[in-house]
Amino acid sequence: MKIVILGSGVIGVTSAYILAERGHEVTVIERQSGSGMETSFANGGQLSYCHAEPWANPEVLPKIVKWLGRKDAPLVLHPGFDLAMWLWGLRFLRNCTKARARYHTINTLRLALYSREIMKYLRGKTGVDFAFRDAGILHIFKDDKNFESALLQAKMQQEFGASYKSMTYQECMELEPMLLSANDRIIGGIHFPLDESGDIFAFTRHLAKKCQTIGVVFKYDHAILGIDTVGDEVSGVLAGDGVFTADKYIVALGSYSSVFLNKLGVKTHIYPMKGYSVSIPVNVGKAPQVSITDQSQKLVYSRLGNILRVAGTAEFAKYDTSIDEFRTTSILRHAKNLFPEAGDFANVTKWACLRPSTPGGTPVLGRTKFKNLFLNTGHGTLGWTLAAGSARILADFIDDKPAEIDLTGLTLS
Ligand SMILES: Cc1cc2nc3c(=O)[nH]c(=O)nc-3n(C[C@H](O)[C@H](O)[C@H](O)COP(=O)(O)OP(=O)(O)OC[C@H]3O[C@@H](n4cnc5c(N)ncnc54)[C@H](O)[C@@H]3O)c2cc1C
């Protein structure tokens, strides 16, 4: 079957690989000059299968109130009117109940653990090199209240297949001795042994190369201008100076998915949530090996070869991807506090991009009201973690096969 995939981030490329492997004739259309150059470029590097709690949860509300007006807060709202942002915000608030947070956690976790399996398959099959580590992820805590509530969440997730180990300060130091030099007071941690980490860009780039060896055609430097429809079918995709036609089409445009889907009346409620990262060249022997989540600052740390990637923060700034020096300086300050000797803090690379976020935090997979238009988008804070499983599920939709997991909460319906 002829398939056109719109977008060549981690989601588009993993979908292309699995579909081409099944014998489909796949073309990927991308506006950049290569794969993985937007949100799949320099993210936090965590394959955090067991970090399934959505941002929308009852405990985030008082925190948002506390953060309002603070420029260095983990979440920043830029003043200015954007109807789409306020509507998204209202939907987000509606999802901040205990019941909704639990519902989204369970659905995300099911997809995440499935993704772990498919990622293992992809690693074995393709041999792609992406600074992969399987030492788990250690969440560290600086106050009792957050630690206790995270333990409750971890315990709940255990019922659904995740696993965790609560750790004392001493055990955290044994697992990651570089934390001994932290200036912050750490009271304990939770280790999620099933979690992994790796460089999303290296993975996406290398997998795109593998895709080419099995026949996938990449049309880079092709900006998509529109999706044409006739009746209840897509008739073509207008990109560059041509029209691309296929039997089936997949939207994997990250934060820009809604720009095109809204015009077709397909409502996904995806809104861009900006985040930042800094990449610090490591001082070998002084930088952490285990991926860390600092729950108090909502920052993640991953060792990716000879750099330490620190990422986080959420900012609502429409589609603006410019780098606010204040935000990156604040990330660096926290990084220096936690790992003072980790690397060369004067020579870091800064980056900002947009998470394609849905109000409840779950992606949107599968069918639309158009018979031949499919979605693999809206992966928000967990696109790297969920990419492999989402791609396999999408391929099953394309082939009219039942998915291998329950898709409750993960489709438009
Ligand atoms: C700071 C930060 C830290 C993060 N950390 C983590 C993490 O640790 N773990 C994790 O699991 N996830 C993390 N994420 C989320 C993850 O990176 C994203 O969910 C994921 O990269 C989204 O992939 P995507 O393919 O959907 O989007 P993208 O990578 O953005 O791909 C979409 C593609 O569509 C193309 N495109 C858009 N519009 C057009 C057009 N008009 N014409 C042609 N092409 C177009 C873009 O150029 C892009 O290449 C993080 C995100 C950020 C911002």
Side-chain angles (χ1 to χ4, degrees), residues 5 10 23 30 37 64 66 164 181 212 217 241 247 249 263 271 280 284-285 295 297 325 385 390 404:
I5 299 178
V10 72
E30 167 60 50
M37 292 181 76
I64 291 179
K66 212 170 81 190
Y164 74 97
S181 46
Q212 282 165 330
V217 174
D241 51 9
D247 300 305
Y249 302 82
K263 288 184 191 152
Y271 193 80
I280 306 163
V284 179
Q295 284 284 8
Q297 304 302 335
E325 287 296 326
T385 304
S390 302
E404 291 172 315

Side-chain angles (χ1 to χ4, degrees), residues 6-13 29-32 34-48 137 198 200 204 219 221-226 238-239 252-257 259-260 273-277 291 300 302 310-313 331 351-356 376-387:
L6 289 71
S8 194
V10 72
I11 301 295
V13 173
I29 309 177
E30 167 60 50
R31 65 180 168 192
Q32 300 285 353
S35 298
M37 292 181 76
E38 296 210 2
T39 312
S40 305
F41 187 69
N43 78 358
Q46 290 192 332
L47 292 159
S48 43
I137 295 178
I200 186 173
T204 306
K219 293 285 182 188
D221 297 310
H222 276 64
I224 295 162
L225 304 172
L238 189 60
L253 290 167
S255 291
Y256 299 85
S257 301
V259 173
F260 293 94
M273 191 201 277
K274 189 173 175 181
Y276 290 86
S277 76
S291 186
V300 304
S302 293
V310 192
T313 79
I331 294 177
W351 174 80
C353 216
L354 309 171
R355 302 174 183 95
N376 193 2
T377 186
H379 294 77
T381 56
L382 288 176
W384 175 213
T385 304
L386 304 177

Side-chain angles (χ1 to χ4, degrees), residues 60-209:
V60 87
L61 290 177
K63 287 185 187 160
I64 291 179
V65 174
K66 212 170 81 190
W67 291 334
L68 279 179
R70 251 186 59 199
K71 221 182 155 211
D72 65 341
L75 185 137
V76 170
L77 270 178
H78 280 281
F81 188 75
D82 180 19
L83 181 63
M85 182 186 89
W86 290 109
L87 290 174
W88 189 95
L90 286 175
R91 289 195 173 89
F92 177 89
L93 291 178
R94 274 217 313 262
N95 280 290
C96 285
T97 64
K98 207 171 164 189
R100 296 298 294 167
R102 182 182 160 91
Y103 174 77
H104 292 308
T105 296
I106 295 167
N107 296 332
T108 303
L109 185 59
R110 194 170 54 249
L111 174 59
L113 293 175
Y114 180 61
S115 278
R116 188 173 185 273
E117 274 176 47
I118 310 300
M119 184 52 134
K120 189 172 173 194
Y121 164 79
L122 285 178
R123 280 190 285 113
K125 188 78 197 293
T126 64
V128 290
D129 180 10
F130 59 102
F132 173 73
R133 278 172 193 250
D134 60 358
I137 295 178
L138 174 65
H139 291 222
I140 52 167
F141 297 89
K142 296 167 190 169
D143 73 87
D144 292 325
K145 194 166 171 256
N146 281 334
F147 192 13
E148 278 156 24
S149 93
L151 278 171
L152 284 178
Q153 172 76 14
K155 199 166 173 197
M156 184 273 268
Q157 292 186 182
Q158 202 174 31
E159 281 174 52
F160 299 93
S163 68
Y164 74 97
K165 183 175 186 288
S166 173
M167 289 194 162
T168 60
Y169 169 82
Q170 196 53 42
E171 287 170 321
C172 292
M173 302 304 124
E174 278 159 25
L175 182 68
E176 181 43 77
M178 293 307 134
L179 284 170
L180 276 168
S181 46
N183 291 317
D184 298 334
R185 186 177 156 267
I186 297 163
I187 60 161
I190 306 177
H191 184 233
F192 294 92
L194 296 180
D195 286 353
E196 302 166 337
S197 59
D199 184 339
I200 186 173
F201 180 65
F203 176 85
T204 306
R205 275 299 172 100
H206 290 156
L207 193 63
K209 284 249 160 8

